[in-house]
Amino acid sequence: GVCHSGSSASISPYPVASSSVTPTLTMSPFATSMNLLYCLLSPHLSNFASKVLICRNYKGDVDMSEIDHFMPLLMQHEEEGLLCPVMSHGNVHFMWIKHSNLYLVATTNKNSNASLVYAFLYKLVEVFTEYFKELEEESIQDNFVVVYELLDELMDFGFPQTTDSKILQEYITQEGAKLEVAKSKVPTTVTNAVSWRSEGIKYKKNEVFIDVIESINVLVNANGSVMSSDIVGSIKLKTMLSGMPELRLGLNDRVLFGLTGRDKGKTVMMEDVKFHQCVRLSRFESDRTISFIPPDGESELMSYRINTHVKPLIWIESVIEKFSHSRVEIMVKAKGQFKKQSVANNVEVRVPVPSDADSPKFKTSTGNAKYVPEKNLVVWTIKSFPGGKEFLMRAHFGLPSVENEEAESKPPITVKFEIPYFTVSGIQVRYMKIIEKSGYQALPWVRYITQSGDYQLRTNV
Amino acid sequence: MPYLGGEETVRELRRALSNPNVQSDPLRYRNTILKVIRTMSQGVDVSGLFSEMVKACATVDVVQKKLVYVFLCSYATLNPELSLLVINTLRKDCQDPNPMVRSLALRNMTNLRLPSLVEYVEQPLTAGLRDRAACVRRVAVLGWAKLHNLHPSSEIDAAVVNELYSLLRDPDPVVMVNCLRALEEILKEEGGIAINKPITHHLLNRLKECDIWGQSEVLRVLQRYRPQSEDELFDILSLLDSFLVSPHPPVMAATLSLFLSISSNLPVISLAALERVSGPLLAACGSGSREMRFAAVCHIQLLLRSVPGLLGPHYKRFFCGYAEPAYIKERKMQVLVELVNDENVAMILDELKGYCTDVNTDTAQAAISAIGRIGRSYSDRCLQILTGLLGLKQDHITSAVVQTMRDLVWVCPQCSDTVCLALDGCEETLQDIQGRQALLWLLGVYGERISTAPYTLEVLIDRVRSEASLGIKMELLTATMRLFLCRPAETQDMLGRLLHYCIEEETDMCVRDQALLYYRLLHCGIEKTREVLQGRRSDPSLGVLIGRPAKPVSQWARCFNTLEPLSQGAVEAESDSRGSPEHVTYNSKPNADLSDTLSCSHIEEVHSGAEKIEEVDCAWIEECVRCPAVLHCSPQSLQAAMQLVNIQTLAFTPQQMLPWRVYLYTHTQRSHSMDAPNTTLILGELLCTGEANQKSGVKKGTADSEAGAEGKEDQLVRKEMDATADRLRVSEDGQEEEEGIKVILNQQPKDDDALRQFLTILITVLNTLSSEKD
C-alpha cells in the first residue's frame, strides 16, 4: 500500500452531493409519482393528429395540454433517429410504451424511477387486457366506464394502489356497467389476509390443471454457431377448487434453484425464479417446498430462466443464392434434433426474401410453402415433424432487372414450433398435494409443452 | 359530430338530463350521463351541464356516482360555487354504510382540487383516517397529501401529522405505504418524513407484505436512514439481501440504491452488492418489454463505470436482436465496447461487423464507431474491418469509417500507415460534412504519405466557390496549409488560389480571418508556420492505457434508479467522440471529453461546452519535485498508486525514456461549493527532461512555448480549440533542477484550495513511490 485511503478522504474528489445533474432533470427526493396518464391512439399516416382516448390527471400540477407536445416530439425524434422511451419537453418528461395502435404515456416532472413507471404502464396493459381480452381503441371506447373506474383504483395521486387484476375484478366488473342498483358487496380481498383469493368459492368437481411451458430462445450465427440460447419456463395453473385449499408442489430433484447458490453438477440451474405472490417464500427458502393457497382460475405460479447451451431443437441449414437482376434460389433443410418419440407440431419456418422478388416457385419434401409478399417471407408449414427427421424445401424467385437501389436489411430465418409432452430442461412435477379443511378429493392434471420463443438463425444473404 | 355539433349536443344532453322521465328510469339516466362523459373525452366543452350533473350525483347507483365524479372533478375549478352543492352529497356519502361508497366520496372530495372546500373536507378526512375499512383509510391518508398540495404554504395540523405517523403501523400495507407517501409530501419543507431507527426497523420488517410499488417506495425512503452501528448496518443488509436479487427490476434497483447509500463508506460492500445484482440486471436486459430492457442496459452502463470487468463473461447477452429498436442497439454496443477482452474480442468484433450494414444508418454508424473504440486496444483487427467496410462504397458507412479512423489515428498514431492506404478513393463516396471534414483532416496531417492528397485537395479547391459548409472551408484551409509544409512543390499553386479566394471573395468572417492568419503566418517564415501547424500532433511514444479506470460508486450512486441514466447525454462522453481529435470541426461538441456534465440534449451540450472555455475560470500552477526514482517505476505501479488517491492516468511514456511524461487528471470537490458545478477538473502533466537532454530540452521547450502562444492566437480565431490542452504545451520552460520532476497542473473551474490540496497529495504519492524505489 503506497497511499492510504486517509489521504483520499481528505481530498474527497468525488462529492457525495450529486455533481452531475442535468439542467432539465430536477433532482428531487420525492421521485416516484406520476402526474398524468394518457392513452393515445396512434396517428393515421394521412393526418398527423393523434387522438387522446383517455386522460387522467392524478396530481393536477401539470397542464393537461402537455400531451400536445408528445406526438410532434415523437415524430421529431423518430426522424432524427433518436427515438427513446423517455422524451422531455421543458421540465416535463414523457415516458411511453406502445401497445398495438395505442400509446400509453405517463408524464412526470420529477426525476422519476424509470423502471417503476414502465412497470406500471405494462401493468396497466396487463389489467386492461385481462378485462377486455384485447386492448385497442374499440375496447376502450366500449368500456369507457370500466376504464375510468380502473384508472381510479390503479392509481391515486400518482401512486400505484391496487394493481392486482384478480382483486380488481371482484369489485369492478363489466357487468357493473349493466345496471345493478346499490351493488354494495364489499370485496373481502381488499382487506383480506389472503388478498388473491376470496372466501366461499365453490366447485362441483375439484380440479387443478398444471401447465409446464418452456420457450426456447436461440440465436444462431450465419456460420452455424449458436451465439446464445436460453430457456424461459413457466408453470401455469388453472385452479378450480372450492374453499381455501392448501397446495404443495413437488418438482424433480434435478431442478436446483439459482437462489441457493449450490451447484451440483448435472442439475438444472434456474435463474430469475419468479413466484406468484401466493407462494410462501420463507417456506421455499428454508426447505425448497413450494406451498401456497392458489388464486382462483388461471394464474402463473412461477417462471424461471435457464441460461444454458441448448441444442437447437429444430436445426436449419440454408443456402440462399441471389443472382442479381435475375433470380433468388433458396434451399432450406430442417432437422428435428429431439427424441424420436416426440413430435413437433405446427412447425413454421419463415425465410426472408428480397422485397422486390416475384413469381415464386416451391418444392417441399413435406408440408407446404407459401409466399407472404407483405412480409417478404416464405412460410414453410409442417403440421407434424417427428424427431430425428430431416425435410427439405426449395424456393425460386424472380428478381426484376432494375434492381432496388435501397440497402436491404438482412432479417434472420425464424422458426415456430410446439413439442408436447416434453421439456428441454427436464423439469417435472413429482406431486401436487391438495389439502382443504372440508377434506374433498381433488385431481391435479399436468401437461408439458416446449415451444419456440425468440428462435432466430441468421443468413448470409 | 363532436366539434361541429358541440353546442347542439350539449343542449340535447341538458334536455335529456332534466327530463323527469329519464330521471325516473335509472338505466336511461345512467346512459345519458355516460353520453356526457363520452362527449367530454372527445374534447367537447360540456361544462355547461354542471348543475344538472350535480343533481345526478344524488343516487344509490355507485357506477353512476363514479361517472358523475369524473365529470365534476374535471370541471370543478370552473364552477367553484356550484361545487359547494356537491359537497353535501359527498359528505353524506362519507357516512354511507358501504365502504366502497365512503372511499369513493372521500377520494373525489379531495380530487375536486378546490381550495375553498378545504374546510368542509378536513372533518371527513380526519374521520376517514379512523375508518374500519382499509380502502377508506388508504384514500384518507393520501387525501391529506392532496390537501397539502392545494395549499403548499399552509401547515397541516400537527395532530394529523402525528396520526399519519401512527398509521405507519396500520395492518394494511397499502395504508402504511400511503402514509409514507403522504408524509413525504406534507413534510417536504422539512426534508420529508423523519426516518429514525424504530420506523426503519418497522418498515423493513413489513417490507415483504408490500407489493412491488410499496416495496420500491419504502426502499427509496429508507435511503435517508443512516444506521447507528456497523452491526445494525449489516443486519439491515442481510435482511435486504433477498430483495437485491428480486426478479422485479424496480425492486431490485431500489434495493441496490439503498445498499449503495447506506454503505457508502464501505466500498467493499458496495462492490459485493454490484456483483450480486448483476444477475437480476442481466435478466432485466432480456425482459420482454423493450423499455425495461433499455432501462436495464442504461443502468448496467453505470455499474460498468465502477466495475469494468463485471459482466465480461456475459457479453453475448448484449448482442442485438434483429428487431430491437435502435436506441437499445446503440446502448448495447456501448456496453460491448466496455466488455471487450482478449478472449471475446474476435466474437464481439464479428458481431459488431454485422451491425455496420444495418439498414438504420444511426445503428450502422454507432457500430462503426464502436469498432473504432475497440481499435484503440486491438487496432489491427479493427482496421481490417474498417478498411473492408470502405469497399461497400455506401456514403454513410464511408463517412462513419473515415471519422472513426481519424479518431483512432489521433489516439494510436501507429495505425496511420494502414489508414493512409485505406483512404484512397474515399472522397468519391463521401457526401456529408462530418465525413469530408474528417478526410480533410487526415489528408492534412498525413498528406506526405498519401500520394493522391494534392489532387483530392485540388478538386475541392476548384469547387470552393460552391461549397456551402463553413466547416469544410476552414478544414480545407488548414489541410492545404499542412500539405504545403510537406509537399510545397505540388501544393503551392493551389494554396495560393485558395488563400486568394478566401481573402478576396469569401464573405464569411471566420473563413476570411483564418485565411488572413495563415497568410500572415507564411510571411513569418516557413519554420514559424511549421511550429504552429504541426505543433499539435499526438505523441507516438505515449502508450495508451487499455480499459477505462474504475470510478468510485459514489459518482453515480445518486442517479441510479432515476430517469437520468436513460437520457442520451448521460452516456460517457468518451464513448461518443464524433468530433475531430483537435476539436476542429464546427459541428463537434467542443470540450466533450472534458465535461462530465450530463445533458439531456445535444444542443444543451454544445452550449454548456462553449461556456466552459472561459479563460478566467482556469487555474494553473507549476511545481518541481525531487523524486528521481519515480522514473524507474513501472507504469502499472504508478497507475495503481495514483488510483488509490483517485487520480487517473491518461497516458505515459515508457519507463526510463526521456523526456519522460505522464498525463493525469482528477475531479475534486470544490471547497466552496454553493454554486454549481461543484466539482473541478484538474489536468496534470509530470515531466522529466533528464540531465542529458536538458539543454536541448530547454531549447525545445522554448520553441514549444512560442508555438503554444501562436496556437493561442489561432485559437481565438477558431474559437473552439481546447484551452486546457494548449496550456499543457506552454508549460515547458527548461531550468528545472537536475533530475527533478516538473508538475504542471491546470484546473477548471478555478479553486485554489482544492488545487493546493491536490498538489500536496500528488507530491506525497511521488515521494512515496520514489522512496520505495530507493
Side-chain angles (χ1 to χ4, degrees):
Chain A
V2 180
C3 277
H4 305 285
S5 48
S7 53
S8 120
S10 70
I11 189 172
S12 142
Y14 296 95
V16 179
S18 168
S19 60
S20 45
V21 182
T22 336
T24 51
L25 289 176
T26 40
M27 272 297 258
S28 147
F30 313 98
T32 22
S33 69
M34 251 165 63
N35 303 72
L36 285 155
L37 178 77
Y38 298 99
C39 178
L40 279 92
L41 186 61
S42 91
H44 291 284
L45 287 174
S46 51
N47 57 3
F48 287 104
S50 58
K51 188 165 118 191
V52 179
L53 289 179
I54 334 166
C55 168
R56 197 77 187 78
N57 193 342
Y58 285 113
K59 287 201 93 168
D61 53 0
V62 171
D63 196 342
M64 304 269 274
S65 62
E66 277 297 334
I67 196 64
D68 296 344
H69 303 296
F70 174 73
M71 266 304 155
L73 212 57
L74 190 81
M75 303 271 178
Q76 182 201 335
H77 280 239
E78 202 158 13
E79 237 162 68
E80 293 166 3
L82 299 167
L83 196 65
C84 175
V86 195
M87 299 189 300
S88 307
H89 181 267
N91 58 358
V92 176
H93 309 288
F94 297 104
M95 304 171 77
W96 59 279
I97 64 169
K98 200 177 176 198
H99 183 86
S100 61
N101 60 345
L102 299 176
Y103 288 95
L104 296 172
V105 187
T107 70
T108 173
N109 52 3
K110 307 271 171 65
N111 189 7
S112 290
N113 174 343
S115 54
L116 196 74
V117 176
Y118 293 128
F120 182 78
L121 290 176
Y122 276 96
K123 189 78 200 174
L124 216 59
V125 172
E126 187 190 314
V127 171
F128 284 160
T129 317
E130 275 181 46
Y131 264 86
F132 316 130
K133 296 289 170 279
E134 217 135 302
L135 175 58
E136 54 188 15
E137 189 192 358
E138 290 77 46
S139 59
I140 286 186
Q141 298 280 25
D142 295 349
N143 298 285
F144 222 67
V145 181
V146 182
V147 167
Y148 270 103
E149 283 187 75
L150 283 175
L151 288 179
D152 257 356
E153 295 298 329
L154 284 163
M155 184 170 263
D156 195 9
F157 201 49
F159 299 111
Q161 300 289 308
T162 311
T163 57
D164 191 318
S165 62
K166 284 259 149 43
I167 301 173
L168 287 167
Q169 267 163 352
E170 290 196 11
Y171 62 104
I172 297 177
T173 50
Q174 273 148 305
E175 286 74 50
K178 294 171 201 147
L179 203 69
E180 187 190 314
V181 177
K183 181 173 69 77
S184 60
K185 191 187 135 204
V186 191
T188 48
T189 47
V190 176
T191 50
N192 206 353
V194 182
S195 68
W196 55 89
R197 188 180 177 96
S198 350
E199 282 165 29
I201 297 172
K202 281 204 174 62
Y203 283 97
K204 263 188 195 158
K205 194 174 177 188
N206 289 299
E207 289 175 311
V208 192
F209 297 90
I210 308 162
D211 279 346
V212 181
I213 302 167
E214 291 192 340
S215 300
I216 312 295
N217 298 326
V218 170
L219 178 64
V220 180
N221 215 351
N223 58 26
S225 58
V226 178
M227 304 292 278
S228 63
S229 63
D230 57 6
I231 305 166
V232 179
S234 83
I235 298 184
K236 291 188 175 161
L237 295 182
K238 188 177 179 191
T239 318
M240 298 163 82
L241 296 171
S242 313
M244 277 285 172
E246 268 284 337
L247 271 58
R248 217 154 13 112
L249 177 75
L251 300 173
N252 54 331
D253 301 339
R254 275 188 69 192
V255 180
L256 255 192
F257 294 94
L259 301 173
T260 55
R262 280 182 290 170
D263 195 349
K264 284 183 187 163
K266 275 199 167 183
T267 48
V268 183
M269 280 297 288
M270 288 187 168
E271 288 176 40
D272 322 325
V273 185
K274 248 182 250 194
F275 286 109
H276 188 278
Q277 68 180 92
C278 67
V279 176
R280 293 190 187 90
L281 288 177
S282 48
R283 187 76 196 277
F284 176 76
E285 270 155 29
S286 64
D287 61 2
R288 306 283 111 189
T289 321
I290 304 174
S291 79
F292 55 99
I293 297 173
D296 190 44
E298 288 177 31
S299 59
E300 185 177 62
L301 184 67
M302 65 177 281
S303 65
Y304 54 89
R305 207 169 51 80
I306 300 170
N307 188 28
T308 172
H309 192 90
V310 193
K311 197 173 181 190
L313 294 175
I314 294 199
W315 183 249
I316 302 287
E317 276 169 42
S318 65
V319 181
I320 303 179
E321 280 180 295
K322 194 172 164 183
F323 302 91
S324 280
H325 314 299
S326 83
R327 66 189 195 278
V328 180
E329 280 174 10
I330 298 169
M331 198 275 293
V332 177
K333 195 162 78 179
K335 192 177 168 192
Q337 304 195 111
F338 45 92
K339 277 183 283 180
K340 286 211 173 70
Q341 305 91 298
S342 295
V343 175
N345 292 332
N346 304 320
V347 179
E348 265 186 28
V349 183
R350 296 153 172 263
V351 187
V353 293
S355 58
D356 49 358
D358 54 41
S359 45
K361 279 177 217 151
F362 305 109
K363 216 165 110 186
T364 56
S365 61
T366 187
N368 60 327
K370 208 174 90 188
Y371 176 42
V372 189
E374 63 274 17
K375 287 183 178 160
N376 300 320
L377 282 178
V378 173
V379 181
W380 176 23
T381 318
I382 303 161
K383 283 272 167 255
S384 160
F385 195 137
K389 284 276 189 305
E390 209 174 280
F391 298 116
L392 205 67
M393 190 262 303
R394 283 178 193 280
H396 179 285
F397 284 89
L399 282 180
S401 51
V402 184
E403 205 168 337
N404 195 348
E405 282 290 305
E406 276 172 48
E408 289 213 23
S409 57
K410 295 190 286 184
I413 294 180
T414 54
V415 186
K416 288 192 166 187
F417 58 85
E418 231 180 67
I419 307 176
Y421 317 114
F422 170 72
T423 55
V424 199
S425 65
I427 187 174
Q428 266 175 15
V429 175
R430 278 272 173 269
Y431 61 85
M432 165 75 97
K433 287 197 177 131
I434 303 161
I435 301 159
E436 217 277 335
K437 56 176 185 276
S438 69
Y440 60 71
Q441 288 295 309
L443 282 177
W445 303 90
V446 190
R447 200 162 51 157
Y448 302 95
I449 299 178
T450 290
Q451 61 190 23
S452 57
D454 190 12
Y455 201 100
Q456 302 191 356
L457 302 102
R458 294 182 182 161
T459 60
N460 265 322
V461 174
Chain B
M1 185 273 275
Y3 293 98
L4 287 175
E7 275 175 46
E8 187 54 38
T9 321
V10 172
R11 217 170 298 143
E12 218 163 83
L13 285 170
R14 177 175 295 129
R15 216 173 296 135
L17 283 174
S18 37
N19 182 344
N21 293 330
V22 173
Q23 290 181 356
S24 58
D25 179 348
L27 191 63
R28 273 179 76 192
Y29 202 20
R30 193 210 272 183
N31 281 340
T32 317
I33 289 162
L34 181 58
K35 225 176 269 172
V36 175
I37 305 293
R38 218 178 270 272
T39 321
M40 180 181 90
S41 67
Q42 279 164 352
V44 180
D45 180 12
V46 285
S47 60
L49 301 172
F50 203 84
S51 54
E52 283 80 10
M53 290 296 273
V54 169
K55 282 181 207 137
C57 189
T59 170
V60 281
D61 177 5
V62 180
V63 176
Q64 179 170 332
K65 264 187 202 299
K66 284 185 185 172
L67 286 174
V68 175
Y69 290 150
V70 168
F71 176 92
L72 295 181
C73 290
S74 313
Y75 290 117
T77 37
L78 298 174
N79 299 284
E81 295 84 24
L82 281 174
S83 304
L84 273 174
L85 299 174
V86 197
I87 271 296
N88 275 329
T89 321
L90 285 168
R91 286 184 61 138
K92 221 172 80 206
D93 281 354
C94 286
Q95 316 282 334
D96 197 280
N98 181 349
M100 295 312 284
V101 176
R102 292 203 298 274
S103 69
L104 184 69
L106 213 48
R107 178 159 60 222
N108 286 288
M109 214 181 251
T110 44
N111 279 356
L112 289 173
R113 298 192 190 115
L114 284 176
S116 56
L117 295 185
V118 169
E119 50 179 318
Y120 302 98
V121 178
E122 283 185 337
Q123 190 272 325
L125 273 185
T126 314
L129 290 179
R130 293 166 204 155
D131 201 286
R132 290 170 275 122
C135 58
V136 182
R137 294 199 300 275
R138 291 174 180 179
V139 172
V141 168
L142 279 186
W144 284 106
K146 294 182 198 168
L147 221 56
H148 180 259
N149 204 31
L150 270 182
H151 274 300
S153 50
S154 74
E155 266 185 30
I156 296 278
D157 191 3
V160 173
V161 173
N162 282 339
E163 192 144 7
L164 288 173
Y165 268 111
S166 64
L167 275 175
L168 284 172
R169 309 209 172 256
D170 194 279
D172 183 72
V174 181
V175 173
M176 175 185 87
V177 175
N178 279 356
C179 274
L180 275 184
R181 292 161 167 159
L183 284 168
E184 286 281 90
E185 181 78 31
I186 293 168
L187 304 174
K188 205 187 265 178
E189 296 295 304
E190 303 161 30
I193 180 173
I195 295 292
N196 57 23
K197 192 169 169 177
I199 289 183
T200 304
H201 289 208
H202 169 71
L203 291 175
L204 284 170
N205 285 327
R206 296 196 53 191
L207 203 51
K208 283 194 174 163
E209 297 168 36
C210 302
D211 57 11
I212 64 164
W213 323 113
Q215 290 177 350
S216 309
E217 199 75 49
V218 170
L219 291 164
R220 187 183 59 73
V221 171
L222 288 182
Q223 281 184 36
R224 288 207 299 273
Y225 183 63
R226 290 287 164 266
Q228 284 154 8
S229 69
E230 204 147 274
D231 285 344
E232 190 194 354
L233 171 74
F234 285 106
D235 283 347
I236 293 177
L237 293 183
S238 42
L239 199 86
L240 286 173
D241 188 67
S242 64
F243 293 90
L244 199 54
V245 290
S246 161
H248 302 286
V251 177
M252 173 265 295
T255 317
L256 181 62
S257 268
L258 177 56
F259 257 73
L260 297 181
S261 77
I262 63 174
S263 63
S264 53
N265 301 324
L266 299 163
V268 187
I269 302 281
S270 304
L271 289 179
L274 295 187
E275 260 169 51
R276 189 112 170 82
V277 95
S278 62
L281 258 180
L282 276 174
C285 283
S287 153
S289 124
R290 53 186 205 172
E291 289 79 14
M292 291 296 235
R293 223 151 58 210
F294 177 66
V297 178
C298 294
H299 280 91
I300 280 181
Q301 287 186 295
L302 287 184
L303 257 67
L304 290 179
R305 288 194 201 172
S306 293
V307 202
L310 185 63
L311 300 168
H314 303 283
Y315 66 98
K316 280 186 180 170
R317 295 278 189 98
F318 299 95
F319 284 180
C320 305
Y322 169 69
E324 261 177 329
Y327 57 81
I328 295 185
K329 286 185 179 170
E330 197 173 318
R331 295 295 183 120
K332 280 190 168 177
M333 286 189 258
Q334 287 166 1
V335 172
L336 282 175
V337 169
E338 301 284 326
L339 298 184
V340 162
N341 58 37
D342 288 348
E343 280 90 61
N344 61 25
V345 64
M347 287 290 272
I348 289 183
L349 282 177
D350 215 38
E351 184 72 14
L352 285 173
K353 194 172 138 190
Y355 307 154
C356 293
T357 47
D358 198 286
V359 238
N360 183 326
T361 53
D362 295 299
T363 306
Q365 294 187 334
I368 292 166
S369 82
I371 292 178
R373 292 275 313 162
I374 297 175
R376 297 185 184 185
S377 330
Y378 300 92
S379 47
D380 290 347
R381 294 166 189 259
C382 293
L383 278 172
Q384 198 186 343
I385 297 177
L386 292 174
T387 317
L389 288 170
L390 289 175
L392 296 173
K393 303 238 176 262
Q394 296 262 351
D395 60 338
H396 70 275
I397 293 180
T398 308
S399 164
V401 170
V402 174
Q403 290 176 60
T404 302
M405 284 180 160
R406 170 201 59 195
D407 297 347
L408 184 59
V409 139
W410 179 254
V411 188
C412 311
Q414 66 273 19
C415 301
S416 55
D417 289 332
T418 324
V419 169
C420 289
L421 281 175
L423 287 178
D424 203 22
C426 280
E427 71 278 359
E428 288 158 23
T429 332
L430 282 174
Q431 301 279 329
D432 65 330
I433 293 168
Q434 284 91 344
R436 284 157 67 209
Q437 266 182 313
L439 180 68
L440 281 172
W441 186 84
L442 285 165
L443 288 176
V445 175
Y446 296 102
E448 52 193 321
R449 282 188 265 162
I450 305 169
S451 57
T452 57
Y455 310 106
T456 313
L457 287 185
E458 183 153 34
V459 174
L460 284 166
I461 290 169
D462 288 345
R463 284 192 218 139
V464 71
R465 240 167 271 272
S466 53
E467 179 57 62
S469 156
L470 176 67
I472 295 275
K473 288 183 204 169
M474 308 271 274
E475 196 77 66
L476 185 61
L477 267 172
T478 313
T480 319
M481 281 292 284
R482 283 185 173 150
L483 196 63
F484 171 69
L485 292 175
C486 55
R487 298 165 77 165
E490 293 157 286
T491 324
Q492 185 173 12
D493 189 44
M494 60 175 97
L495 177 63
R497 272 185 284 145
L498 181 63
L499 285 177
H500 183 267
Y501 166 79
C502 289
I503 293 168
E504 295 295 326
E505 291 179 50
E506 176 59 49
T507 50
D508 188 279
M509 289 307 280
C510 287
V511 180
R512 200 170 154 268
D513 278 358
Q514 197 181 10
L516 271 176
L517 176 83
Y518 286 151
Y519 182 70
R520 288 174 190 147
L521 197 57
L522 287 168
H523 274 290
C524 301
I526 206 76
E527 272 318 304
K528 275 273 173 290
T529 313
R530 198 181 299 277
E531 280 162 18
V532 172
L533 280 166
Q534 295 184 338
R536 288 172 61 83
R537 286 212 177 180
S538 53
D539 184 348
S541 66
L542 291 177
V544 174
L545 295 173
I546 293 171
R548 194 185 300 176
K551 293 182 178 166
V553 172
S554 59
Q555 202 194 31
W556 50 266
R558 284 279 300 206
C559 73
F560 192 83
N561 201 24
T562 65
L563 269 182
E564 229 169 280
L566 274 69
S567 59
Q568 191 55 42
V571 186
E572 294 261 277
E574 227 190 321
S575 45
D576 176 38
S577 62
R578 306 313 301 269
S580 89
E582 291 176 295
H583 305 297
V584 188
T585 42
Y586 260 76
N587 308 43
S588 74
K589 299 167 232 158
N591 230 356
D593 286 342
L594 302 179
S595 102
D596 220 11
T597 327
L598 305 177
S599 290
C600 246
S601 72
H602 288 273
I603 299 160
E604 273 161 11
E605 199 159 352
V606 171
H607 280 208
S608 65
E611 282 153 22
K612 280 249 161 77
I613 317 179
E614 276 174 34
E615 299 268 330
V616 253
D617 209 16
C618 297
W620 176 48
I621 51 170
E622 258 188 61
E623 278 285 336
C624 240
V625 192
R626 280 183 58 91
C627 43
V630 171
L631 263 71
H632 310 289
C633 269
S634 80
Q636 282 72 25
S637 61
L638 189 70
Q639 191 190 359
M642 293 291 183
Q643 275 191 11
L644 274 178
V645 286
N646 284 319
I647 301 172
Q648 313 296 347
T649 10
L650 282 167
F652 49 80
T653 46
Q655 222 165 324
Q656 301 188 11
M657 191 183 140
L658 288 170
W660 179 88
R661 283 177 190 170
V662 175
Y663 292 107
L664 40 85
Y665 77 96
T666 195
H667 292 270
T668 73
Q669 189 163 21
R670 297 188 82 166
S671 42
H672 41 82
S673 56
M674 292 309 285
D675 48 348
N678 47 10
T679 56
T680 90
L681 173 73
I682 298 179
L683 267 179
E685 179 184 4
L686 307 180
L687 172 73
C688 180
T689 41
E691 200 181 7
N693 287 20
Q694 200 179 4
K695 216 179 162 201
S696 65
V698 172
K699 199 177 162 200
K700 189 171 163 283
T702 332
D704 258 11
S705 84
E706 275 171 46
E710 290 281 3
K712 272 249 158 53
E713 196 182 332
D714 194 355
Q715 175 200 1
L716 288 178
V717 182
R718 298 218 235 144
K719 289 185 182 83
E720 78 278 281
M721 273 209 187
D722 181 352
T724 336
D726 239 8
R727 293 254 175 142
L728 281 179
R729 313 231 145 239
V730 188
S731 54
E732 311 167 25
D733 43 351
Q735 298 174 17
E736 67 258 44
E737 284 178 58
E738 211 176 285
E739 291 274 353
I741 289 185
K742 178 162 282 203
V743 180
I744 306 121
L745 298 178
N746 282 274
Q747 187 193 36
Q748 192 186 21
K750 188 173 163 166
D751 182 345
D752 284 329
D753 292 345
L755 192 60
R756 288 279 153 208
Q757 237 181 345
F758 172 79
L759 186 67
T760 326
I761 287 170
L762 183 67
I763 292 174
T764 318
V765 177
L766 291 175
N767 283 331
T768 321
L769 276 171
S770 189
S771 60
E772 269 191 356
K773 277 284 158 188
D774 287 340

